[in-house]
Amino acid sequence: MTRKIIIDTDPGQDDAVAILLALASPELEVLGITCVAGNVPLALTSLNARKVCELAGRPDVKVFAGCEAPLMRPLVTAEHVHGKTGLDGVELPAPQMPLQQAHAVDFLIETLRSEPAGSVTLCPLGPLTNIALALRKAPDIAGRVQEIVLMGGAYFEVGNITPAAEFNIYVDPEAADIVFRSGISITLMPLDLTHKALVTAGRVAAFRALGNRVGEVVAGWTDFFERFDKAKYGSEGAPLHDPTVIGWLLAPGLYSGRHINVEIETRSDLTRGMTVADWWGVTARAPNATFMGEIDAEGFFALLTERLARL
Ligand code: RIB
Ligand code: CA
């Protein structure tokens, strides 16, 4: 029984690896890829998503452009991490495959209304603008989403774009607030987890040793992507954030976490975008998300590498 998913994304090298992992995994049926502004502007994220689909040999995948800015704030991008193109590190050919005409938000609504209720999982890998707008435009879809598995947030690990906030939540905190209050089952991969999935030199070498174009490209992206995080954290490799979302769909046993209350700071300028996670249950606020804190990194990279070998 395959799981139907929609990937909402702002490629970004780590998003790109997540898309490759999903397309290499027969357990998953990617109904579509919806793009959002985040790491780089929408024109680039929607171009990059198509470059990645063609790299995977899947020009048939439906790619949609969504929101080009957060619900209520100016866009904040992360070229300092991902480079000007958003996929720096490797030169990929301009895509031949078209962008779908429909807006990503309309695709999300129409797909959730036409697929059987509870049969589609949403996998947001960037700011939550598209998801929030779909929920606002069509509140009825909240009851039709199987679950949301997203990369975003941080608690013990604190923020990466500000001392308090992780980038995806920081860019559009109002959108995140709508999603976390939606009542939909949410599993999140915060920095607390993704900072344990570091692309060490040995893991990059394993990508390169695959001997296929995908392995070479992923190694090239990683070499570029990790320069920023290694310098900042002094770590032995960069965290490969977004693929941990797809990894959880494939091998949840590699992960552990806690079902707790998570609320989003939207008012304070100092801490906007912070995911206030009640890990110790010190409030009476109802649990609304499974906050994943641990990952078996060796198992995750073995799975990722084995799947990339198939492309
Ligand atoms: O904070 C990490 C997240 O921000 C990842 O999804 C990365 O792609 C960027 O979008
Ligand atoms: Ca991302």
Side-chain angles (χ1 to χ4, degrees):
M1 174 74 165
T2 57
R3 181 196 280 250
K4 293 175 182 172
I5 69 171
I6 296 173
I7 298 174
D8 190 72
T9 177
D10 63 336
Q13 291 89 347
D14 61 318
D15 302 68
V17 179
I19 294 167
L20 290 173
L21 177 56
L23 295 178
S25 300
E27 304 92 320
L28 305 175
E29 181 188 354
V30 179
L31 298 181
I33 294 178
T34 51
C35 301
V36 67
N39 286 320
V40 287
L42 180 68
L44 283 174
T45 59
S46 54
L47 180 78
N48 292 342
R50 285 178 286 153
K51 287 183 175 181
V52 176
C53 287
E54 291 191 347
L55 173 66
R58 291 292 308 277
D60 59 296
V61 174
K62 292 193 280 185
V63 176
F64 300 82
C67 298
E68 58 186 357
L71 296 180
M72 297 166 61
R73 296 171 186 266
L75 177 62
V76 172
T77 52
E79 283 90 350
H80 59 291
V81 179
H82 299 273
K84 195 99 190 67
T85 70
L87 283 185
D88 283 25
V90 178
E91 197 63 39
L92 289 178
Q96 301 303 309
M97 65 189 280
L99 198 55
Q100 298 299 311
Q101 285 309 309
H103 190 285
V105 169
D106 295 327
F107 169 73
L108 284 162
I109 293 168
E110 281 151 31
T111 304
L112 286 165
R113 283 179 171 161
S114 57
E115 294 290 338
S119 68
V120 178
T121 294
L122 303 183
C123 302
L125 309 178
L128 291 163
T129 316
N130 287 341
I131 312 298
L133 205 50
L135 287 167
R136 232 171 39 185
K137 198 172 171 185
D140 59 291
I141 64 173
R144 303 184 64 84
V145 176
Q146 179 174 17
E147 60 182 323
I148 292 177
V149 188
L150 68 90
M151 189 277 142
Y155 188 60
F156 297 100
E157 191 66 17
V158 297
N160 59 359
I161 187 79
T162 73
E166 178 278 324
F167 180 79
N168 289 340
I169 310 298
Y170 175 77
V171 170
D172 198 340
E174 285 74 20
D177 193 41
I178 288 170
V179 171
F180 277 77
R181 292 184 187 283
S182 66
I184 299 170
S185 168
I186 295 172
T187 298
L188 67 149
M189 306 295 154
L191 297 180
D192 304 64
L193 179 128
T194 67
H195 281 195
K196 294 166 186 158
L198 300 180
V199 196
T200 60
R203 289 165 179 165
V204 177
F207 295 148
R208 227 175 226 113
L210 288 176
N212 60 1
R213 174 72 175 139
V214 163
E216 189 191 309
V217 169
V218 170
W221 281 335
T222 309
D223 285 344
F224 179 86
F225 176 76
E226 72 176 8
R227 86 217 176 286
F228 176 80
D229 281 306
K230 276 173 82 170
K232 174 176 170 184
Y233 296 108
S235 52
E236 51 172 325
L240 203 55
H241 306 286
D242 294 337
T244 63
V245 166
I246 307 302
W248 184 80
L249 299 177
L250 300 171
L254 297 177
Y255 298 67
S256 69
R258 194 178 284 185
H259 190 58
I260 60 173
N261 177 269
V262 177
E263 299 206 1
I264 312 297
E265 175 57 61
T266 57
R267 287 186 293 276
S268 155
D269 285 339
L270 182 64
T271 59
R272 113 186 199 201
M274 178 176 180
T275 44
V276 182
D278 187 6
W279 182 264
W280 302 114
V282 297
T283 76
R285 297 196 288 256
N288 61 336
T290 301
F291 189 95
M292 286 296 177
E294 300 297 333
I295 185 170
D296 166 356
E298 274 305 301
F300 167 69
F301 279 98
L303 171 68
L304 172 60
T305 306
E306 184 273 317
R307 293 298 164 99
L308 294 179
R310 303 184 184 192
L311 292 173

